[in-house]
Amino acid sequence: DPLACRRMVLGSIGLSTDLMRLERSGRWLLALDFNSPSGHYELKLSEPADRAAAERLLLLARWEAQMWKSKGQVDISQWADGKCVRNASYNGRAFRWASPEEWRLPGTGSFSFDYAGLTRPTKDSAAVSDELWERILRQIRKSVLIRRIGESFAVQTPSVRSQDKQGASWASRKANESSDEQETSPPEKVSLRLKPDLLDIE
C-alpha cells in the first residue's frame, strides 16, 4: 500500500528529527560519565537537561570533596574550598561560591567550568608503557570513547603531553590528505576488551 509506506517513511523521519533534537538538547547530560567526569562544561541552566547535568556534577563534587577530606589529603582546589570546580564563569563573568559549604547553582544563565575530579590511581597502580599507550591511541584516535574508557587505565603525564602534540600533527596530516590517497600499509590491529578492573590488549 503506497499510502501506508508513505506514512511509515514520514513517521520515521519525524522520529529521527525528535531523536536529533533530544540529542542536541541533552548532550551534556547524556555524555555525563561519573567514572570519568573531568573535563570542560558549558551549560545553559535554563535548560532542564543542562541543569540536571550541573546538579549531578555538583553532587559528585561534594561527595569527592568529603572523601578527599576524610582521607586527610591536602586541599588542592582552586580557591581552597575543596571543590572540584575550577575556572567557573556565569554569564561570561568569573564566578566563585561565597563559602566552601555553599553548593547552589548561581541562576538560570550560562554556566561554564572545568571539572577536575579527585579520583586518583591506587598506590600499587602501574602506568602503561609508552609503547602500549601508542597502540591504544592508534585504535581510539578516531573514536569518541577516550572519555568513556579513561578510568580503565593509568598513564604518566609525559605520555599525555606527547599525545597532545602528536594529535595536532595527526589532525594536520589527515587534513592535507586527498580523498583518493591510499595508505601504504594497513594500520596495526589492536583489539580492546574493557572490564571494570582490567584492560586487555591483544
Side-chain angles (χ1 to χ4, degrees):
D1 185 355
L3 182 58
C5 291
R6 183 172 182 272
R7 289 174 177 173
M8 290 178 61
V9 171
L10 292 177
S12 64
I13 292 175
L15 178 60
S16 299
T17 302
D18 290 341
L19 290 175
M20 291 175 63
R21 188 181 298 111
L22 176 63
E23 194 279 333
R24 285 195 299 269
S25 63
R27 64 189 186 96
W28 289 110
L29 182 59
L30 293 172
L32 192 58
D33 183 1
F34 289 128
N35 290 319
S36 183
S38 296
H40 182 70
Y41 295 84
E42 296 184 1
L43 308 174
K44 295 181 179 179
L45 299 181
S46 59
E47 298 291 335
D50 282 14
R51 192 171 189 87
E55 290 173 346
R56 284 161 171 76
L57 283 169
L58 290 186
L59 180 62
L60 177 63
R62 190 170 185 175
W63 177 80
E64 285 201 87
Q66 290 296 328
M67 294 297 295
W68 188 263
K69 184 177 181 180
S70 67
K71 295 178 181 179
Q73 302 283 9
V74 177
D75 186 356
I76 57 174
S77 59
Q78 182 179 17
W79 302 110
D81 55 6
K83 291 180 170 62
C84 301
V85 176
R86 292 173 173 266
N87 308 316
S89 65
Y90 179 66
N91 287 336
R93 296 184 177 182
F95 173 81
R96 179 179 175 182
W97 279 278
S99 69
E101 292 74 27
E102 186 177 358
W103 292 89
R104 292 179 298 178
L105 290 173
T108 58
S110 299
F111 187 40
S112 65
F113 57 90
D114 297 320
Y115 189 98
L118 296 175
T119 303
R120 298 291 186 271
T122 59
K123 292 182 179 180
D124 57 347
S125 297
V128 298
S129 66
D130 290 342
E131 179 182 359
L132 179 57
W133 178 236
E134 289 299 325
R135 292 176 61 197
I136 295 172
L137 290 175
R138 280 198 294 270
Q139 297 303 307
I140 61 178
R141 188 169 279 135
K142 297 180 181 180
S143 172
V144 297
L145 294 179
I146 182 63
R147 182 184 179 87
R148 294 290 185 183
I149 68 175
E151 75 277 7
S152 299
F153 52 87
V155 296
Q156 294 177 329
T157 302
S159 298
V160 179
R161 291 175 178 171
S162 175
Q163 168 55 22
D164 290 340
K165 297 179 181 179
Q166 293 179 14
S169 175
W170 177 86
S172 176
R173 184 169 64 253
K174 282 295 181 183
N176 294 329
E177 289 180 354
S178 60
S179 59
D180 58 348
E181 184 177 357
Q182 300 293 329
E183 294 186 357
T184 57
S185 60
E188 179 183 355
K189 293 184 178 180
V190 179
S191 63
L192 303 182
R193 295 199 306 274
L194 297 178
K195 301 179 181 179
D197 57 349
L198 180 65
L199 176 66
D200 291 336
I201 308 294
E202 293 180 348

